Structures are given as structure tokens and as C-alpha cells.
């Protein structure tokens, strides 16, 4: 697992005093980032990413730092196409470890529903319009995936 993930949607962290801070999530692989060029990727078999994941997890967990990037004063929160400058403060929130693959993955995937508006206490939606739109689209997707024929 050597691919970093940088969320394009912003959310608000809210502290006990009600102060809000816009953030974007980042997942940074502890193994470092490594990428295949187009030729190396094209030479791989169709299922090479899952095969590679199984081999890596057999040797130990895939680990990622969960980091949030704090928005600066003028960083837009309502336009996911604008990347915030890399010099913005980042806060390390902890470690995520992937330890195994679900043996019923194909069936489990049909039931999974990522809802970006279902948030825990202390995290709120920003003025970014995409999470609410994505929530609606994803609910349609899960309905179609779980519909009995």
C-alpha cells in the first residue's frame, strides 16, 4: 500500500467552545509512496493490485498516518477542484492499520455504503456542496446494488 490519498472535500472540526476549523483529510502510507509508470502498469496481470495486497498483508499490516490539513484564512472550502497549498499546517491524528482482507469481500462490497454526510460529533459539513450530492448518488447506488432481481 504505497498510494497516498488526499481528500478533495473539506469538513469542519468543531471544538468544545464551538470554534470551527476547516480541514481536508490525508492518508499517508508509512511504507512511502511508490508508483508504477504506465509501461510497468500495463505489463501487470489484471488482478495484480489485489494479489499484491494479499502478499503484503501476509508480511504485516499496511499502515497509514491519518493527517488533516488545516485550511488557511483564504483557502476555499466550497470548491473541491482547488488544491490548498502544501505549506498549510498538518496535524497527525493517528495510525490506520489494514490487517486482513474480508474473505467475503465481493458480498460485503455490495452492502457497503459510504455516506459523506453521516458524521461523528465534532465534525460538520463545510459549505462544500459535493458531500451532500455524493450522499444522494451513493444512496441510489446502494439501492441498485441491493435490489433483489
Amino acid at each position: 500500500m504505497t498510494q497516498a490519498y488526499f481528500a478533495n472535500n473539506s469538513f469542519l472540526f468543531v471544538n468544545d467552545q464551538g470554534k470551527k476549523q476547516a480541514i481536508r483529510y490525508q492518508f499517508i502510507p508509512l511504507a512511502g509512496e511508490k508508483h508504477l509508470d504506465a509501461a510497468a502498469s500495463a505489463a501487470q496481470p489484471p488482478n495484480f493490485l489485489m494479489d499484491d495486497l494479499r502478499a503484503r498483508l501476509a508480511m504485516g499490516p499496511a499502515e497509514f498516518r491519518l493527517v488533516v490539513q488545516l485550511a488557511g484564512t483564504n483557502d476555499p472550502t466550497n470548491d473541491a477542484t482547488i488544491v490548498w497549498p502544501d505549506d498549510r499546517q498538518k496535524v497527525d491524528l493517528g495510525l490506520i492499520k489494514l490487517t486482513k482482507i474480508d474473505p467475503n469481500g465481493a458480498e460485503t462490497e455490495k452492502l457497503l455504503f459510504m455516506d459523506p454526510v453521516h458524521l461523528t460529533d465534532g465534525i460538520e459539513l463545510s459549505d462544500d456542496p459535493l458531500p451532500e450530492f455524493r450522499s444522494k448518488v451513493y444512496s441510489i447506488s446502494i439501492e441498485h446494488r441491493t435490489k433483489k432481481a
Side-chain angles (χ1 to χ4, degrees):
M1 306 286 303
T2 58
Q3 177 65 50
Y5 171 77
F6 299 89
N8 56 346
N9 299 117
S10 60
F11 294 87
L12 300 174
F13 277 11
V14 184
N15 69 14
D16 291 341
Q17 293 77 42
K19 182 179 178 193
K20 297 180 180 188
Q21 171 64 56
I23 62 93
R24 284 183 176 162
Y25 292 100
Q26 299 180 353
F27 300 88
I28 311 299
L30 287 187
E33 288 190 69
K34 298 178 188 97
H35 304 99
L36 297 178
D37 62 30
S41 179
Q44 299 297 321
N47 208 28
F48 83 97
L49 289 175
M50 281 303 295
D51 294 341
D52 182 64
L53 179 59
R54 283 185 186 89
R56 286 175 190 253
L57 293 180
M59 295 185 292
E63 300 176 317
F64 296 82
R65 297 299 324 163
L66 172 57
V67 174
V68 292
Q69 181 183 33
L70 307 182
T73 305
N74 295 315
D75 290 336
T77 56
N78 63 351
D79 187 344
T81 67
I82 299 175
V83 176
W84 295 344
D86 195 47
D87 65 354
R88 298 299 185 256
Q89 181 182 353
K90 295 177 182 135
V91 178
D92 189 328
L93 298 183
L95 184 67
I96 296 173
K97 289 185 179 187
L98 303 177
T99 59
K100 62 184 177 180
I101 295 173
D102 181 347
N104 301 312
E107 288 302 311
T108 302
E109 289 172 18
K110 291 178 185 176
L111 302 174
L112 290 176
F113 174 42
M114 196 284 282
D115 188 345
V117 303
H118 187 125
L119 302 170
T120 191
D121 292 342
I123 304 175
E124 296 179 357
L125 293 172
S126 70
D127 58 347
D128 184 340
L130 289 179
E132 288 191 53
F133 177 75
R134 289 172 59 202
S135 179
K136 292 173 185 169
V137 170
Y138 295 161
S139 68
I140 294 168
S141 171
I142 190 75
E143 184 179 317
H144 285 282
R145 285 185 281 141
T146 58
K147 186 185 289 184
K148 303 263 190 221

